[in-house]
Amino acid sequence: MIKLSNLYKNFDDLEVLRGVNLDIKPSEKVVIIGPSGSGKSTMLRCMNLLEKPTHGEIIFKGQIINQEHVDINKVRENMGMVFQQFNLFSNLNVLENLTLAPIMRNHLNQEEADSKAIELLNRIGLVDKIDNFPNQLSGGQQQRIAIARALMMDPDLLLFDEPTSALDPEMVGEVLDLMTELAEAGMTMAVVTHEMGFAREVANRIIFIDEGIIVEDSYDPKNFFDNPQQERTKQFLSKIL
């Protein structure tokens, strides 16, 4: 689905990613964990070129997307992104937030977009909020709307950048439940998170990154937590579990 090849990212003199290689296959649920400043969010944001790599290639569905001639907006139609701070448009109601992108990108007409939005809102239990504005919603509701917005374009890959870190603890569960439902439905997902319970239960692959390098890449989440292979991973887990 997406491949990072020898990826480097510098911010001036600060080297944040150092030769990352990662290949995510269709239907994989990859959880990316690591300490603050390890490069995990930068790596995720490089996948859809919100951050442009300093060196290396990003290959999405067989196409190198970090080349000058590539229309990144076209690429992003197939790659949804859910942010830490929801990023809903405050001046648009829920329905308008959901339908804006598919209509602007000629993915759906107004009638089709409205119908799909209502279908998704029913699915996430928020159809009664269709006319509300973001400031009339709880944080958990806003994030579920943000996930629904990403689904409006029928993406092949969903990227989640710490989707629960801005939420009150009691609202975390409703967002993780929706993400779990998407995972069980077969969505390809790359998730940066501090929610280790979610990582253990939902991921089928865990990446541990530190100082811009993938330290451990495990296809057995239970074994990753119970028996980490690398000393740095053991140190990290001992502090957070």
Side-chain angles (χ1 to χ4, degrees):
M1 182 70 75
I2 191 165
K3 181 175 182 176
L4 311 182
S5 178
N6 199 28
L7 204 68
Y8 286 79
K9 176 61 182 177
N10 299 349
F11 293 100
D12 296 324
D13 293 334
L14 180 64
E15 200 171 48
V16 178
L17 296 177
R18 301 188 290 151
V20 168
N21 293 290
L22 177 63
D23 194 339
I24 297 176
K25 296 176 177 61
S27 296
E28 277 194 321
K29 289 84 185 146
V30 180
V31 169
I32 302 159
I33 66 172
S36 295
S38 60
K40 55 189 186 296
S41 285
T42 299
M43 180 173 77
L44 194 81
R45 291 169 66 86
C46 280
M47 290 185 191
N48 68 355
L49 298 190
L50 285 175
E51 299 290 354
K52 291 194 175 179
T54 305
H55 180 74
E57 289 181 342
I58 301 159
I59 303 159
F60 179 55
K61 296 174 68 178
Q63 178 186 24
I64 301 171
I65 62 172
N66 58 320
Q67 293 181 321
E68 290 299 323
H69 68 274
V70 173
D71 180 355
I72 190 57
N73 289 320
K74 190 71 179 166
V75 172
R76 286 177 183 148
E77 291 180 9
N78 295 305
M79 197 188 310
M81 179 89 174
V82 179
F83 299 89
Q84 185 175 339
Q85 298 293 344
F86 324 137
N87 286 22
L88 297 175
F89 296 107
S90 60
N91 61 324
L92 302 181
N93 67 23
V94 166
L95 180 63
E96 291 163 339
N97 262 285
L98 293 183
T99 58
L100 180 67
I103 291 170
M104 283 187 67
R105 298 298 300 173
N106 296 315
H107 183 68
L108 299 171
N109 64 34
Q110 184 74 59
E111 186 179 348
E112 292 167 337
D114 287 352
S115 176
K116 186 173 182 66
I118 291 167
E119 176 191 326
L120 283 169
L121 289 170
N122 272 310
R123 180 176 170 186
I124 66 173
L126 291 175
V127 74
D128 59 321
K129 306 295 184 185
I130 194 165
D131 295 319
N132 287 40
F133 288 84
N135 66 1
Q136 298 172 308
L137 305 172
S138 70
Q141 289 170 338
Q142 288 188 62
Q143 193 60 294
R144 284 150 66 199
I145 296 295
I147 294 170
R149 180 176 63 178
L151 293 172
M152 285 291 295
M153 298 293 289
D154 298 312
D156 296 309
L157 171 66
L158 268 185
L159 309 177
F160 294 85
D161 189 9
E162 300 194 27
T164 60
S165 62
L167 298 177
D168 293 333
E170 62 202 30
M171 295 176 185
V172 168
E174 62 193 52
V175 172
L176 293 182
D177 286 347
L178 176 56
M179 292 170 64
T180 301
E181 183 187 316
L182 292 173
E184 290 171 349
M187 175 63 71
T188 310
M189 299 164 64
V191 184
V192 171
T193 186
H194 296 291
E195 300 292 337
M196 295 302 132
F198 174 84
R200 185 189 286 264
E201 295 300 321
V202 178
N204 51 28
R205 184 177 177 192
I206 298 184
I207 306 287
F208 174 63
I209 186 169
D210 187 41
E211 296 184 351
I213 294 171
I214 292 177
V215 176
E216 193 155 340
D217 183 353
S218 173
Y219 285 87
D220 185 345
K222 184 179 186 302
N223 192 56
F224 173 85
F225 286 106
D226 295 344
N227 185 32
Q229 300 301 299
Q230 302 299 322
E231 191 59 39
R232 180 65 187 97
T233 316
K234 293 175 186 176
Q235 291 171 1
F236 176 76
L237 292 177
S238 71
K239 291 175 183 174
I240 64 166
L241 296 179

